[in-house]
Amino acid sequence: MRLKDLSAELGLSPTTVSRALNGYPDVSEDTRLRVVEAARRHNYRPDARARGLAMGRARSIGHVIPTATRHEMVNPVFADFIAGAGETYARAGYDMVLSVVGDDDEARLYRDLAATRKVDGIIVHGPRTADPRVALLRELGLPFVVHGRVSEETGPYSWLDVNNRRAFYRATEFLLDLGHRRIALVNGLEYMDFALRRRMGYLGALSDRQIEADPALMSSEEMTEPYGYRAARQMLALDRRPTAFLTASLITALGVRRAVEERGLVLGRDVSIVTHDDELSYFSAPDTVPVFTATRSSVREAGRLAAEMLLDLVEAPGGPPRHRLLEAVLTVGQSTGPAPDRD
Amino acid sequence: MRLKDLSAELGLSPTTVSRALNGYPDVSEDTRLRVVEAARRHNYRPDARARGLAMGRARSIGHVIPTATRHEMVNPVFADFIAGAGETYARAGYDMVLSVVGDDDEARLYRDLAATRKVDGIIVHGPRTADPRVALLRELGLPFVVHGRVSEETGPYSWLDVNNRRAFYRATEFLLDLGHRRIALVNGLEYMDFALRRRMGYLGALSDRQIEADPALMSSEEMTEPYGYRAARQMLALDRRPTAFLTASLITALGVRRAVEERGLVLGRDVSIVTHDDELSYFSAPDTVPVFTATRSSVREAGRLAAEMLLDLVEAPGGPPRHRLLEAVLTVGQSTGPAPDRD
DNA sequence: ACGGGTGCCCAAAGCGCTTTGGGTGTGCGG
DNA sequence: CCGCACACCCAAAGCGCTTTGGGCACCCGT
């Protein structure tokens, strides 16, 4: 059932049917009702491609998920972020088109999305400290919002980010207040912008208390569980082992915990852990004392908000870039306690 | 730069340019080269909507991710499945359009996707034991592949599934061979088809050895970490507590392990765990002895294959439905050992 | 009685592509 | 020299919608 069929059946012109359905005022209330009713009855929806062609807009947003070519891992936060963004799109009548691509031919993909006009805007995931995508998208003239920031980018662009620096500054401070002095940082890959900022927060807090950072207590890698385990195991074997860990994700924290327990140490007594927690749905239970002390920030909510920003940008083009900085909250769980005396 | 501009610049008709780019034989090799070169230089790609409209195909596949309305969790396996499917689409030049939707108005969404012709086919995620979506999609005439199966569906449909029944049968057998008799099942929601099949495998193995299943040792819920913890904690407090657990996901297994350790029991000695493992990228390290004994099956690979099946279906319509059953492999890790004597 | 609103409706153009169904010019056999 | 292939190329139609720019009645005021 297409527009032509529907209008034929109603004895109206396609023009009138189209205008009736799109709420133009120059259609009598009577006929509008007839049209709407008939459309409903036949389950008529305009063909999205034809509509988009005629109106010049795709009503869809692109998400490009880079899979690091080396260890083709897909970051689990994407799932929740996209779920959040999806809610926004559903509400606004947009579609989400997802591309999974090795980061080597990401540029080609962006050019493609622009040239084929498949999307009205793009969400940029996983920004690096220096990220060519910002300049590229600017050149292509495609509206975009970065989830995170690009430290070395000087030009204007829209972004939504968590205050990672402050979150890790406060987490470090929290551990210092508990008497910890040897605090390890089990960080994500530090060419990722968020990881760099977290490191800066950590270093800032240490230096504000005149504590020297120990390179042996800092590591940086892709945030898997085995990585947390390996890093912690190694650090715990040091002569002057850390009494506390700062980890970049819950998943990594699980690895750290495994190493701690394997060594016969007790979490929250012998060793403390503070982790960043993106509030992934499958790790949190509604009303329980959280296991891990954490800097929390819902990545799903971030997805919702980033999508809203982008839709604003798409629907009111030419405006100034938008920014939004979310604060993480520090929630105390069972994984932290005062530094043990014996040191 | 559109087709018209390009053809004007070349002094050719749009027809010829189009045919040159699409590899028709009635274009001289000379002009084809000129055209291709000019297209490359101007970074020309045909508008996807116009192309789709003219050709009647969208070159994109829909994935509908249901978020259980109650506890709006998004299953982490989706991320990896979609990453896998995305690889296939990228290779074949298809797009993936993703919709996140509460399961109450899922039907409307399917009708919409069909009526607006936004996609050429659909992957159905998270099938229930009785799932109305199969009948609906059949009625809509949209090609589809179910990731999993629908036990109560009698009509034909295409699917790709893991042999969950056999996987859990073997896992149970494995534990029985180790001398375990009180084996708990910490299952997913049992209106989900995969969970029901796993339960049948578990029960089948028990009854084949004349062991009576104990309802106190079976639970069923959404597969979160806290759920695993809660269920295990409760079961371990029983008079005749289980000596082994079968869990439905690595994440749940982590919760079980937490409960085990909290009770001062040692994994692999006092209590064994076998879990199903979807090989999510952020839990596995290349060359390490796996922590958990598990029935493994890569959900990413499943995504790749399901997408291939669907593309076949889309490109050669009218064929018979396709099926594919993947076997999980049982890999032995450190979480299992002989049943303790003291019982 | 006549000009000008006003309320409804529609034909046709256009969005950017593909495809159908020729058209033109050259080379060849008869 | 004519007719026929053959190799290239193109005008125009069509995909299904929206939007522009009227057209036609009808009514109201003068």
Side-chain angles (χ1 to χ4, degrees), chain B residues 145 152 178 192 315:
Chain B
V145 169
E152 299 190 13
L178 284 170
M192 301 296 284
E315 286 172 1

Side-chain angles (χ1 to χ4, degrees), chain B residues 46-81:
Chain B
D47 181 297
R49 289 185 308 249
R51 188 165 217 258
L53 190 55
M55 308 214 301
R57 303 213 294 104
R59 287 198 85 78
S60 62
I61 299 295
H63 284 241
V64 180
I65 304 217
T67 74
T69 26
R70 277 171 49 215
H71 16 219
E72 46 170 43
M73 128 153 185
V74 32
N75 192 323
V77 306
F78 287 144
D80 271 71
F81 184 92

